[in-house]
Amino acid sequence: MKLLVPVKRVVDYNVKVRVRSDGGGVETAGVKMSMNPFDEIAVEEAIRLKEKGLAEEIIAVSLGVAACAETLRTALAMGADRGILVETDAELQPLAVAKLLKAIVAKEEPKLVILGKQAIDDDMNATGQMLAALLGWPQGTFASRLLIEDGRALVTREVDGGLETVSLALPAIVTTDLRLNEPRYASLPNIMKARKKPIETLTPAALGVDPAPRLTVLKTTEPPRRQAGVRVGSVAELVDKLKNEAKVI
Amino acid sequence: MTALVLLEHDGRTIKQPARSAVAAARKLGEVHVLVAGEGIGAVAEAAAKLPGVAKVIAADAPAYAHGLAEPLADLLVALAPGYTHLLAAATASGKNVMPRVAALLDVQPISDISAVVDADTFVRPIYAGNALATVKSADAKKVITVRATGFDPVAADGGSAPIAPAPAISTPEISRFVSAELSKSERPELTAARIIISGGRGMQSGENFHLLDAIADKLHAAVGASRAAVDAGFVPNDYQVGQTGKIVAPELYVAVGISGAIQHLAGMKDSKVIVAINKDEEAPIFQVADYGLVADLFKALPELSLALENLS
């Protein structure tokens, strides 16, 4: 079967983002960009399925500015077979992304789409569920374990009180949580090889999707800052402060 | 304007984050709530008592027994024509179901709101809470998940709403519940606890978490963890507090052996009082702590346990 793995280009996990002084979003100029960490887990899971002989081809897809091709190269260097770039300078929100991915699914007919559960920039946690809805497919979100057997996906999910396992008819959508796997680093030879792997470039118009955002950001502000408090010298002093000053115990 | 809140429950009681979602919905207009599950009569009765709820819709059917997203989303879509806003708490369950509902309605969901500005405009944290975006929705219907820490939960008692059955709808059985392994604990849930004590990489092992358990038992607190402690395999993922785990805001949050990465602070910095215990005096956690104790946690925790015992 074919696997489709969408990957998003986001501000690197280690960057401390700053709100722009004009309130128009966060500063992204000159900031290191990387693949969304949950999407790396998705790519890794797809590669493991292929290594087990459960999948023939892995297609990575990224949507956004031309530089998203770099994110695709990372996925290709990890082990994806080919890339699709849906190139646009327009702001893409999860509904538009889900519609674009639906169009790509119609074209490529994967049996499984594996996505990160959440992008660490907009923290929406929505695209996988929305793509599942648009396709009428079942969803296994926040996966910590994925098995393919008897034409179904057995997905163990991270839920609030522990774990839950669901069985999904294929084709299906899976979104990844932290403990699903530890993504590999691309080796140098594989990075070289990835340069020769094909990337097809498409546009939202070619896919017949209007990507216009439905949410307008009116302003972006810094959250209220917490002031550092006091240092206490001992456990006894801490307990005294909590009891008599903060009155929380 | 009428809002419908998908009310999360465990088959017996209404979850506290769901009462926060009701509080958010009350800022938007009349509030109806949906209770879905199998054998949910008692929960529907409890829902009818929530202050400010004008109507309870009870969907009692085997299809809803395990909260699967596919049938729940179809049910919400069937009910949607009567409402301007559809809401749920931003819990694992709400985050699973509501985006599916939104896509079926051709709506961009508004995830994890921390404030309501007006019927179309909401505040939501982005970049792990390092920025707050005020967003205005152009969709005719809004589909929203609610960050529970942004809204004081409504009381459990005070209302008396009528209960009506939900329409029967059918969903193709594309997903099936197989099993659940839920952590069994006498302690309060992380998202409802008044006091939380969390451990990080500094705990060094899962076994050492018993030092936190001993204190949690004395304070009737929940035990949490940083992502580093989860990644290291010390504790299960449902302990995780942070950007990709649970968002909490208890009256007292005690961070032990946690350095204070941005992603962890994102999950707890709205706590009323924060205590940090860490042997590294440069640890960023001290920059947000009301009370900081630079100490070896393996000495400090037994002392703290003893001190709390003497207190009571």
Side-chain angles (χ1 to χ4, degrees):
Chain A
M1 65 178 177
K2 268 194 211 179
L3 305 177
L4 188 74
V5 185
V7 292
K8 185 174 186 183
R9 180 176 183 266
V10 298
V11 172
D12 186 82
Y13 187 73
N14 291 309
V15 171
K16 168 123 180 64
V17 299
R18 288 183 201 290
V19 175
R20 287 203 325 237
S21 51
D22 62 3
V26 304
E27 193 56 72
T28 52
V31 167
K32 185 184 178 203
M33 306 294 280
S34 298
M35 187 191 296
N36 180 44
F38 288 100
D39 303 351
E40 288 183 349
I41 296 173
V43 174
E44 175 66 34
E45 195 64 18
I47 297 167
R48 291 185 188 190
L49 289 174
K50 191 181 169 192
E51 286 171 347
K52 283 184 203 150
L54 292 165
E56 286 82 51
E57 190 184 29
I58 302 165
I59 307 156
V61 51
S62 194
L63 307 92
V65 296
C68 292
E70 293 165 20
T71 314
L72 284 174
R73 289 288 169 210
T74 306
L76 297 174
M78 286 174 73
D81 297 294
R82 61 186 166 95
I84 298 174
L85 170 63
V86 180
E87 193 179 334
T88 175
D89 290 331
E91 183 204 341
L92 295 178
Q93 292 176 350
L95 179 64
V97 173
K99 287 178 178 178
L100 291 164
L101 290 175
K102 183 190 176 195
I104 290 172
V105 166
K107 204 162 140 328
E108 299 288 348
E109 300 183 332
K111 274 278 194 264
L112 190 63
V113 184
I114 310 178
L115 307 90
K117 75 164 180 180
Q118 151 181 7
I120 60 165
D121 50 5
D122 64 18
D123 284 334
M124 278 281 190
N125 194 331
T127 302
Q129 298 89 311
M130 298 181 83
L131 178 60
L134 296 180
L135 291 166
W137 290 7
Q139 65 190 51
T141 52
F142 326 145
S144 64
R145 190 155 168 266
L146 170 62
L147 290 174
I148 305 293
E149 50 187 36
D150 305 329
R152 296 182 76 92
L154 202 61
V155 183
T156 300
R157 310 177 53 236
E158 305 272 14
V159 295
D160 285 338
L163 297 171
E164 172 191 280
T165 301
V166 292
S167 169
L168 312 176
L170 294 177
I173 301 289
V174 170
T175 76
T176 62
D177 215 318
L178 291 176
R179 295 194 300 173
L180 185 59
N181 60 51
E182 256 183 67
R184 68 194 65 192
Y185 289 102
S187 67
L188 190 60
N190 285 343
I191 292 171
M192 302 303 283
K193 255 192 264 173
R195 291 185 186 169
K196 296 202 182 89
K197 290 183 179 174
I199 293 180
E200 179 187 3
T201 303
L202 300 169
T203 61
L207 292 167
V209 173
D210 172 12
R214 305 286 183 84
L215 295 181
T216 310
V217 180
L218 301 182
K219 64 176 177 185
T220 308
T221 53
E222 294 234 8
R225 273 182 197 285
R226 258 195 113 92
Q227 296 299 318
V230 296
R231 294 286 167 99
V232 292
S234 67
V235 167
E237 190 188 342
L238 175 64
V239 171
D240 176 64
K241 295 267 193 198
L242 291 178
K243 184 168 171 56
N244 299 314
E245 191 176 270
K247 297 187 169 65
V248 286
I249 62 171
Chain B
M1 281 191 297
T2 309
L4 178 64
V5 179
L6 172 62
L7 210 62
E8 195 177 339
H9 61 85
D10 61 9
R12 292 170 292 123
T13 54
I14 296 160
K15 300 273 187 112
Q16 183 172 313
R19 290 194 280 120
S20 289
V22 171
R26 286 182 73 178
K27 294 175 184 283
L28 296 163
E30 188 172 307
V31 179
H32 296 180
V33 298
L34 170 62
V35 177
E38 190 178 22
I40 41 101
V43 182
E45 298 280 340
K49 292 187 187 133
L50 295 178
V53 169
K55 183 181 173 187
V56 177
I57 301 170
D60 201 332
Y64 308 124
H66 300 289
L68 289 171
E70 296 82 359
L72 265 181
D74 287 354
L75 174 61
L76 278 158
V77 169
L79 293 168
Y83 299 96
T84 53
H85 296 75
L86 301 170
L87 303 94
T91 56
S93 162
K95 290 191 270 197
N96 189 33
V97 176
M98 297 312 275
R100 190 171 178 106
V101 173
L104 293 172
L105 296 170
D106 192 29
V107 165
Q108 167 61 45
I110 311 161
S111 304
D112 215 10
I113 64 163
S114 57
V116 173
V117 178
D118 60 38
D120 305 311
T121 314
F122 307 89
V123 179
R124 58 181 303 272
I126 54 174
Y127 289 95
N130 283 298
L132 297 174
T134 302
V135 298
K136 187 178 168 79
S137 167
D139 288 313
K141 223 177 267 300
K142 324 295 179 203
V143 178
I144 294 168
T145 57
V146 176
R147 174 171 288 214
T149 57
F151 302 87
D152 289 333
V154 296
D157 278 302
S160 61
I163 302 173
I169 57 157
S170 68
T171 294
E173 207 207 66
I174 48 178
S175 62
R176 284 201 302 255
F177 171 83
V178 177
S179 61
E181 299 165 48
L182 300 181
S183 311
K184 290 206 170 29
S185 171
E186 297 300 308
R187 297 200 193 100
E189 289 188 22
L190 270 174
T191 50
R194 200 181 67 82
I195 300 177
I196 295 173
I197 181 161
S198 286
R201 200 195 302 274
M203 296 303 296
Q204 294 182 8
S205 77
E207 272 175 22
N208 288 335
F209 267 73
H210 75 82
L211 295 169
L212 302 182
D213 292 339
I215 293 165
D217 287 339
K218 293 190 175 74
L219 292 172
H220 195 57
V223 176
S226 68
R227 174 172 169 178
V230 172
D231 280 352
F234 298 169
V235 286
N237 191 58
D238 57 293
Y239 279 52
Q240 191 197 156
V241 172
Q243 181 186 19
T244 58
K246 295 193 173 72
I247 309 293
V248 300
E251 282 186 41
L252 173 61
Y253 188 91
V254 184
V256 183
I258 291 177
S259 64
I262 298 167
Q263 291 80 9
H264 184 73
L265 300 184
M268 46 64 82
K269 68 184 164 59
D270 294 327
S271 305
K272 192 163 154 249
V273 174
I274 296 175
V275 170
I277 302 176
N278 202 301
K279 66 180 175 191
D280 174 11
E281 61 179 297
E282 303 293 325
I285 189 77
F286 287 120
Q287 291 165 19
V288 300
D290 298 285
Y291 301 107
L293 176 63
V294 179
D296 179 351
L297 66 92
F298 295 103
K299 289 206 182 88
L301 289 177
E303 274 184 54
L304 181 57
S305 187
L306 194 64
L308 292 172
E309 201 159 303
N310 293 338
L311 206 63
S312 58

